[in-house]
């Protein structure tokens, strides 16, 4: 399962955002971001779905949009996947999103779902059986509907032991952190640093994304530790110019990746 490219995940936090969250994310996308995860867990699920739909409608089709938290939110909003907390039920999420109204997975083409007429399905609704298509794209007449072979499933880990326990049949990537001290979650840690991150990477059967206190100056250290990519939140949410901040991160990531990666 390929990660979205560039492998730079923007995690949202509307409480830190300078202005409307959708506008901040749009600016980050203008700066080169192509992978966004809605992380607004304090909102009721119906409000998360509504916000996810606002984001989905505002972003270009090549942006992978996922959610931190509930696979049900991802299913109802037609998103490309879900990121679970440590110990989450990845198998259940995989089963649920395998039945979702979604396009091919993030990283494998278009990044997010297409709703059937009438909007998102009811949580209790049973999708009809798709008609075969010569292109393998789902129900005839609705490209991609019910056609997602593989939603993007991630999970947070905080130690080599948690990473080692991941099942690569159900989990596509892990997020490990905090890599460094972070203003978004002061006191959360201790920071992994290069050695701690490298230990998690060695133990993990899936690609590891580094998060926490990451800026353009330490992106290369994350990749040197074996990380497949990075995730950021507060530095972009709080930025006076989210597009410029994201562009700096994208450039740093591109400069740190070995040729042919």
């Amino acid at each position: 399962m390929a990660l979205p490219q560039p492998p730079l995940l923007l995690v949202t936090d509307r409480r830190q955002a300078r202005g409307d969250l959708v506008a901040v994310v749009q600016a980050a996308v203008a700066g080169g971001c192509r992978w966004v995860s809605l992380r607004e867990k304090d909102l009721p699920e119906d409000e998360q779905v509504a916000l996810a739909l606002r984001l989905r409608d505002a972003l270009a089709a090549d942006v992978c949009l996922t959610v931190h938290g509930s696979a049900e939110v991802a299913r109802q909003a037609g998103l490309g996947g879900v990121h679970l907390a440590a110990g989450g039920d990845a198998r259940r999420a995989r089963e649920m999103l395998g039945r979702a109204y979604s396009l091919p997975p993030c990283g494998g083409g278009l990044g997010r779902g297409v709703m059937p007429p009438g909007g998102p399905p009811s949580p209790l609704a049973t999708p009809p059986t798709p008609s075969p298509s010569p292109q393998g794209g789902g129900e005839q007449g609705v490209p991609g509907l019910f056609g997602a072979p593989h939603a993007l499933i991630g999970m947070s880990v905080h130690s080599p032991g948690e990473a080692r326990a991941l099942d690569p049949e159900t989990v596509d990537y892990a997020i490990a952190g905090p890599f460094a001290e972070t203003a978004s979650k002061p006191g959360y840690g201790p920071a992994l640093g290069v050695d701690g991150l490298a230990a998690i990477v060695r133990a993990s059967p899936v690609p590891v994304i580094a998060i926490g206190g990451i800026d353009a100056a330490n992106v290369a250290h994350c990749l040197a530790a074996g990380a497949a990519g990075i995730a950021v939140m507060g530095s972009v949410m709080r930025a006076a110019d989210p597009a410029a901040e994201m562009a700096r991160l994208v450039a740093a990531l591109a400069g740190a990746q070995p040729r042919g990666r």
Side-chain angles (χ1 to χ4, degrees):
M1 176 64 190
L3 294 175
Q5 296 299 314
L8 198 170
L9 171 61
L10 175 63
V11 182
T12 75
D13 185 345
R14 73 190 189 287
R15 293 167 297 185
Q16 294 191 68
R18 295 180 62 160
D20 176 67
L21 179 64
V22 173
V24 171
V25 172
Q26 285 179 308
V29 167
C33 178
R34 288 299 178 271
W35 184 10
V36 178
S37 187
L38 181 72
R39 188 187 186 279
E40 307 296 339
K41 296 181 182 181
D42 61 307
L43 291 176
E45 285 197 356
D46 61 337
E47 293 184 31
Q48 291 184 52
V49 171
L51 183 52
L53 290 172
R54 278 187 63 209
L55 273 172
R56 195 194 67 175
D57 291 345
L59 299 178
D62 65 342
V63 178
C64 173
L65 181 59
T66 60
V67 65
H68 267 56
S70 168
E72 179 60 26
V73 171
R75 189 190 76 84
Q76 289 196 50
L79 305 185
V82 62
H83 184 82
L84 305 172
D89 191 344
R91 186 168 298 279
R92 173 60 179 153
R94 176 73 66 210
E95 291 171 353
M96 182 179 296
L97 296 182
R99 295 193 297 271
Y101 293 86
S102 60
L103 286 168
C106 291
L110 294 174
R112 56 185 192 275
V114 166
M115 289 294 103
S122 162
L124 301 178
T126 301
T129 301
S131 302
S133 166
Q135 291 76 31
E139 188 176 38
Q140 289 181 341
V142 189
L145 192 60
F146 316 122
H150 197 96
L152 188 64
I153 308 291
M155 187 173 292
S156 293
V157 297
H158 307 98
S159 69
E162 288 183 347
R164 195 174 293 112
L166 296 174
D167 178 2
E169 294 297 317
T170 55
V171 177
D172 298 302
Y173 70 93
I175 289 183
F179 176 72
E181 293 298 324
T182 168
S184 296
K185 295 184 177 180
Y188 186 80
L192 294 171
V194 171
D195 291 342
L197 179 59
I200 289 176
V201 169
R202 287 193 298 269
S204 177
V206 298
V208 174
I209 303 294
I211 195 171
I214 295 173
D215 56 27
N218 62 17
V219 167
H221 300 303
C222 295
L223 269 61
I230 60 171
V232 295
M233 182 169 65
S235 64
V236 175
M237 292 289 109
R238 296 188 300 266
D241 187 343
E245 177 64 17
M246 181 56 67
R248 283 190 287 269
L249 290 163
V250 170
L253 184 63
Q257 288 178 318
R259 285 185 187 275
R261 184 165 183 163

